[in-house]
Structure formats: C-alpha cells, structure tokens
Amino acid sequence: GTPKDLNHLDYLAVPINRITESVKSFPVPVRFRRQEEVVKLPSTPAFFRLAGYFLAEGSTNERGYLNFSFGIHERKLIDDVKRLLRETLGVTKVDEFPYERNHGLSLVVSSARLARAFRQLFGESAATRRIPQWMMLETPEKQRELILGVFRGDGNYYNQLNKHGRKEIFRLSTISPVLARQLRDVLLRLGIVAFLNTRSRRHEGRQTMY
C-alpha cells in the first residue's frame, strides 16, 4: 500500500531484526602492494565505539591515511579515540594536526592497510557511510558502544521549552541515507524508538541532512 491507503487510527509497524550473530573478529581482504592481504578487526565493544567515532568523524584517503576530525576543545574524545586505536588495533603512532582557522584538530593514522579496510567496511565518503552487515547483527552490548561513538561525534542533546511544552530529544545527524536508517534499526534493537527526519539544504548548496 501507499500513504493514501491509510485511514484514521491505522498503525504502521516497523520490523525489528532480532537475529543475533556474534563473532570474535572479522576479516577484511585488502590489496596492499599489489597483493591480497587480510586485515583482522576485533569484534569487541571497544572496537564498536571506535567504529562509531569513525562513522561520525572519520575519513580515509587514497594515500593510506585514516583521519578523525574533532574540535580542538574535545580533548576527552580525542584521547578516547587514541586509546581505542591503541587497545583495539595496536596503533601507537597517532599524529595530531590542529587547524586554527576552524578551531579543529585532525587525528591521523598512517596505515594503508587500516585505511583500506575502513574504507571497504564503512564506505568511501560521508555520503556513503554504512554499518557493515555483521555489525548490524551483533550483540546489544557492542551496538550500544557504536551508538555512543556516533552520538559523541555527530550527536546533540536538545532540551527547550516551546509553545507546545518542553521538547527534549537526542539527535544523530548524517548525510548518508543508508546510515540514518541503519542507526534507527540498531536503536530499535536496543529498545529505543527513533524518528527519521530529512532536512534539505539545497539552498545552501549542501547535501541533505538526515
């Protein structure tokens, strides 16, 4: 059916995928120096939080760099990402590049293997960000950490009084329509009902925000 077929007091149901398949690690095949290699990523709550940070604030480039972008004042988050990189992936060298122009800071990991693995798993750009299927089926314990990472990176808390009363919401924002729907599905698995809104920013020359 279509919306025109709906009647007053009809209900719309959203299916919740209750299947849980947990793994200890996930192999990602990548090409490195013209050879096939496998990057093994740990399927742990800590890695899921790191993945959440990447989905919100991360990027990769062709030269083999993994980047996380923060505001210069977000020292707790910066240190958390550095700790997670060390604990989950054994990355000990993380460079910090501050940008005075916008009070930002980039965390940069020089690793072609990791950059290619993250690119393959989570999408090549902010607009094509996605959660891989194996993470969509993982345990609530891990998925909670994923949501936490995304929220700390791209989320905000809104609490204001308006003419209809108090409006209090937690918002996650992304320009990836796929990621927006996946985040809603993960939240439903965690027993949290989320609503999906779209905001066109065409007049600003920018991509639609979900």
Side-chain angles (χ1 to χ4, degrees):
T2 61
K4 69 176 169 51
D5 303 318
L6 290 171
N7 295 310
H8 181 54
L9 295 182
D10 277 355
Y11 279 90
L12 273 177
V14 178
I16 302 172
N17 187 345
R18 298 288 188 191
I19 297 167
T20 302
E21 292 176 4
S22 191
V23 296
K24 287 186 175 168
S25 63
F26 190 82
V28 185
V30 297
R31 278 195 74 76
F32 185 69
R33 291 181 181 159
R34 296 182 186 172
Q35 288 186 324
E36 285 287 330
E37 285 194 27
V38 173
V39 175
K40 226 173 181 183
L41 298 173
S43 184
T44 60
F47 179 75
F48 270 60
R49 187 157 88 243
L50 181 67
Y53 281 125
F54 181 79
L55 287 166
E57 301 289 10
S59 62
T60 57
N61 67 18
E62 289 293 345
R63 291 186 303 166
Y65 292 106
L66 188 60
N67 302 292
F68 294 84
S69 301
F70 292 101
I72 203 126
H73 60 284
E74 296 179 299
R75 180 42 64 184
K76 274 187 179 173
L77 305 189
I78 293 162
D79 289 343
D80 196 31
V81 168
K82 289 169 88 166
R83 187 177 60 78
L84 291 168
L85 283 165
R86 188 173 65 249
E87 286 180 8
T88 64
L89 301 171
V91 174
T92 52
K93 189 178 187 310
V94 183
D95 294 310
E96 291 188 16
F97 295 101
Y99 298 105
E100 282 180 23
R101 185 171 42 86
N102 60 358
H103 306 292
L105 183 140
S106 261
L107 288 182
V108 180
V109 176
S110 176
S111 168
R113 288 181 183 86
L114 279 182
R116 283 165 198 169
F118 272 61
R119 198 180 182 87
Q120 200 170 302
L121 266 189
F122 303 114
E124 294 189 1
S125 67
T128 59
R129 281 283 172 266
R130 62 178 182 266
I131 301 169
Q133 183 60 16
W134 64 276
M135 291 184 113
M136 292 296 295
L137 297 177
E138 266 291 359
T139 63
E141 175 199 17
K142 296 176 189 177
Q143 291 183 337
R144 269 196 292 270
E145 292 296 316
L146 180 87
I147 294 292
L148 182 63
V150 174
F151 181 78
R152 285 178 175 177
D154 266 344
N156 62 52
Y157 168 63
Y158 178 93
N159 183 353
Q160 280 187 3
L161 209 55
N162 60 28
K163 61 183 179 184
H164 304 296
R166 183 165 295 282
K167 188 177 184 182
E168 184 180 19
I169 51 173
F170 291 93
R171 283 190 292 218
L172 300 170
S173 303
T174 175
I175 59 169
S176 164
V178 172
L179 180 59
R181 288 178 177 86
Q182 287 182 316
L183 289 170
R184 181 199 59 188
D185 291 348
V186 170
L187 286 165
L188 284 171
R189 279 169 71 89
L190 298 173
I192 298 163
V193 177
F195 301 92
L196 196 53
N197 295 315
T198 305
R199 185 161 65 88
S200 173
R201 303 186 298 174
R202 196 179 300 158
H203 61 287
E204 302 170 40
R206 298 167 77 192
Q207 287 170 289
T208 300
M209 181 67 85
Y210 301 91

